[in-house]
Amino acid sequence: MAQAAPQTGALEPPSTATPFQFPGYYSFPPFFTAQPNLVTRAAQHQKWSLLIQAYCRHNRIFVLSLIDALNSPLFHNAALNRRLSLNDAREVLNWMASEPGGNRAEWIGGTGKAKTGAEKVWVYWRRPEEWASVLEGWVDGTGQKGSVLTLWELVEGEATASQEFHGMDMDLLQKSLQVLVKRGKAQIFGQEDSLGVKFF
Amino acid sequence: MGQASSKKITAQDDAILSMKIQRDKLQQYQKKIKHVTARETEVAKECLRRGDKKKALVALRRKKYQESLLAKTDAQLEQLEILVNDVEFARVQKDVMYGLQQGTSVLKQIHREMGGVEGVEKLLADNEEARLYQKEVNDLLAGRMSNQDEDEVEDELEALEREMNPIKDEPISHPELPDAPAQEPERRESQKERWERRAREQREQREPQEPLLA
């Protein structure tokens, strides 16, 4: 199952030019129904997690809106006329957000442990600490240690157009930079809507 | 790791940031204008399709105006970028200057510790004096040793050497006799030759030092 390993392509920046190649199990009808057997269910969660990560990586989605996603090809296989129900999708994302799911997702908002009512979710095809390493590597590789960069130019500037973090969600960028700040590798400063960062 | 002191945001950083933010804003503004001009073109096309030439003309005029704004912002952007680059370069220069300053002061301090040129000259003179003195002592000691004493020393050395390499003397017990030596065996020096050799050696020993003293 070569397509079930999206992590291997981590080094190439994702392209939106080509349509996303769905894995083989996407055409398997039972995949869209929560499996009663616990072992099968765990495997199903794993596969969904990989699919969601690969899909978001390909389309550079950082925040998934649950309601919109239900009607997108991700959760809705039009060819099979099958879709994942809201509850099942929620369960998959809950699993991704959990420890066994590798903390590959995080709900935005919502109340309680089940995060009921949350409609948007971070999909961490790279976790903030992984993004931090990518950012640090880029700053290192381009010799920009000690210089001041605006957050906007990090994700929208021409210099980063070929980078994976180009077009990244601003909040996620800040989360990732906070990791570097904690490590003493960066400092964020400036006004609320015009933030800059200095790397060390 | 307690390096916070060297990692502070300075007023310069703030100034650079505000310049860069300004640059970002210009770039965002340009994006917006490009979007607007594209839309005006669409509007003009739409008006022409409906046969409303007047409205199409207005739309194109608006587009033209936006394009002139774009050109202006381009110039401003360029200026801003030059300024940012200049500031960053000046910072690098400052760092280089600081480095040079540090190096120079260290070099000066080391020189001071060495005591200047006079100190070095004095040290060299002292050094030569000491060596001359040592040579004198050597000569005195060598002169006191009589030739007979030296004979005894050398004999002892020979005896020791024989003792340490006894195998050479053993081939007598060997069943096959060795060939007769092809060369004439080394003759033992006569006493006179020995004295002459020693005098020569001592001279040679002393001579190589001479050029150093000069």
Side-chain angles (χ1 to χ4, degrees):
Chain A
M1 213 176 275
Q3 280 155 318
Q7 259 95 348
T8 51
L11 290 176
E12 310 135 32
S15 74
T16 43
T18 51
F20 179 68
Q21 285 284 321
F22 279 98
Y25 53 78
Y26 180 71
S27 317
F28 186 54
F31 185 51
F32 291 85
T33 316
Q35 296 300 304
N37 182 315
L38 280 183
V39 178
T40 322
R41 188 120 160 214
Q44 190 186 16
H45 281 160
Q46 185 69 46
K47 290 230 166 57
W48 267 112
S49 170
L50 287 176
L51 173 60
I52 292 168
Q53 285 177 54
Y55 183 85
C56 290
R57 176 197 296 276
H58 183 89
N59 293 305
R60 294 202 187 199
I61 295 169
F62 298 91
V63 178
L64 202 63
S65 164
L66 193 52
I67 300 303
D68 294 344
L70 282 177
N71 288 316
S72 75
L74 176 58
F75 289 132
H76 181 207
N77 187 338
L80 284 182
N81 196 17
R82 291 280 173 143
R83 61 169 78 232
L84 200 65
S85 74
L86 176 64
N87 276 339
D88 290 344
R90 213 174 254 286
E91 197 190 306
V92 167
L93 286 162
N94 275 338
W95 183 81
M96 281 173 76
S98 69
E99 195 74 35
N103 300 321
R104 287 290 165 191
E106 186 183 340
W107 290 101
I108 302 171
T111 49
K113 215 178 168 203
K115 301 285 179 193
T116 41
E119 279 161 5
K120 288 190 173 182
V121 61
W122 301 106
V123 175
Y124 292 148
W125 40 279
R126 277 192 201 295
R127 282 194 292 262
E129 56 269 28
E130 290 164 348
W131 279 118
S133 305
V134 172
L135 286 165
E136 200 185 352
W138 178 74
V139 167
D140 243 355
T142 48
Q144 296 190 92
K145 274 192 171 180
S147 51
V148 176
L149 296 166
T150 63
L151 297 201
W152 189 83
E153 85 174 291
L154 266 178
V155 293
E156 300 289 342
E158 285 162 18
T160 63
S162 63
Q163 299 300 315
E164 252 191 330
F165 51 82
H166 188 78
M168 191 180 191
D169 185 275
M170 205 43 111
D171 291 326
L172 181 57
L173 176 69
Q174 287 206 37
K175 262 174 183 261
S176 310
L177 288 174
Q178 282 302 335
V179 176
L180 290 178
V181 170
K182 270 197 196 119
R183 287 193 210 146
K185 295 277 177 67
Q187 199 159 337
I188 299 178
F189 64 109
Q191 310 302 318
E192 181 70 35
D193 59 338
S194 54
L195 286 170
V197 60
K198 189 178 178 183
F199 292 95
F200 304 108
Chain B
M1 272 192 265
Q3 300 151 320
S5 56
S6 63
K7 293 180 174 179
K8 274 232 174 89
I9 300 301
T10 61
Q12 291 168 0
D13 290 332
D14 273 325
I16 292 176
L17 178 66
S18 63
M19 273 190 289
K20 287 198 167 178
I21 294 280
Q22 209 51 51
R23 182 202 59 191
D24 288 353
K25 278 186 182 151
L26 272 180
Q27 278 178 353
Q28 277 160 301
Y29 182 64
Q30 281 192 333
K31 262 188 195 170
K32 186 188 120 193
I33 287 184
K34 276 175 194 156
H35 185 74
V36 167
T37 50
R39 204 188 58 213
E40 295 291 3
T41 316
E42 282 303 309
V43 168
K45 269 187 199 160
E46 181 62 34
C47 290
L48 269 186
R49 215 170 292 136
R50 276 190 280 120
D52 197 342
K53 242 185 170 177
K54 227 176 172 182
K55 264 201 170 164
L57 217 60
V58 171
L60 285 178
R61 248 185 230 128
R62 273 204 301 259
K63 183 187 156 215
K64 191 82 204 151
Y65 173 68
Q66 296 285 357
E67 275 172 348
S68 73
L69 283 184
L70 195 63
K72 271 183 209 160
T73 50
D74 261 339
Q76 284 175 349
L77 201 60
E78 200 179 326
Q79 270 184 344
L80 208 51
E81 260 170 8
I82 288 173
L83 191 59
V84 168
N85 286 337
D86 283 353
V87 169
E88 283 188 332
F89 184 65
R91 273 185 130 192
V92 171
Q93 274 182 325
K94 197 191 89 184
D95 285 349
V96 171
M97 276 302 292
Y98 180 74
L100 284 177
Q101 230 171 34
Q102 291 285 304
T104 312
S105 74
V106 167
L107 204 58
K108 268 188 189 157
Q109 198 192 334
I110 291 172
H111 283 160
R112 220 176 301 125
E113 279 168 14
M114 275 163 58
V117 180
E118 300 98 66
V120 175
E121 269 173 2
K122 191 168 165 292
L123 183 71
L124 284 178
D126 285 354
N127 182 304
E128 192 175 331
E129 222 170 87
R131 273 176 44 203
L132 281 175
Y133 180 75
Q134 180 62 38
K135 189 177 166 267
E136 235 168 276
V137 171
N138 276 348
D139 285 354
L140 277 176
L141 280 176
R144 199 156 290 168
M145 202 86 112
S146 74
N147 268 325
Q148 207 173 352
D149 290 339
E150 287 282 352
D151 281 349
E152 276 168 22
V153 169
E154 276 183 30
D155 282 343
E156 204 180 335
L157 180 73
E158 234 167 84
L160 266 179
E161 274 177 343
R162 253 200 309 274
E163 210 175 290
M164 288 175 74
N165 301 317
I167 310 121
K168 271 188 189 164
D169 296 334
E170 266 176 323
I172 304 156
S173 62
H174 206 275
E176 260 177 67
L177 283 175
D179 293 335
Q183 287 164 334
E184 220 174 290
E186 211 181 299
R187 192 161 43 88
R188 281 202 66 140
E189 297 166 291
S190 72
Q191 196 168 52
K192 204 178 165 213
E193 278 171 333
R194 229 186 202 184
W195 290 357
E196 277 169 3
R197 178 176 52 82
R198 189 170 309 129
R200 204 170 51 238
E201 276 173 3
Q202 278 177 355
R203 231 179 301 124
E204 274 166 11
Q205 224 171 40
R206 239 166 299 150
E207 254 151 25
Q209 296 177 349
E210 301 296 317
L212 281 173
L213 291 172

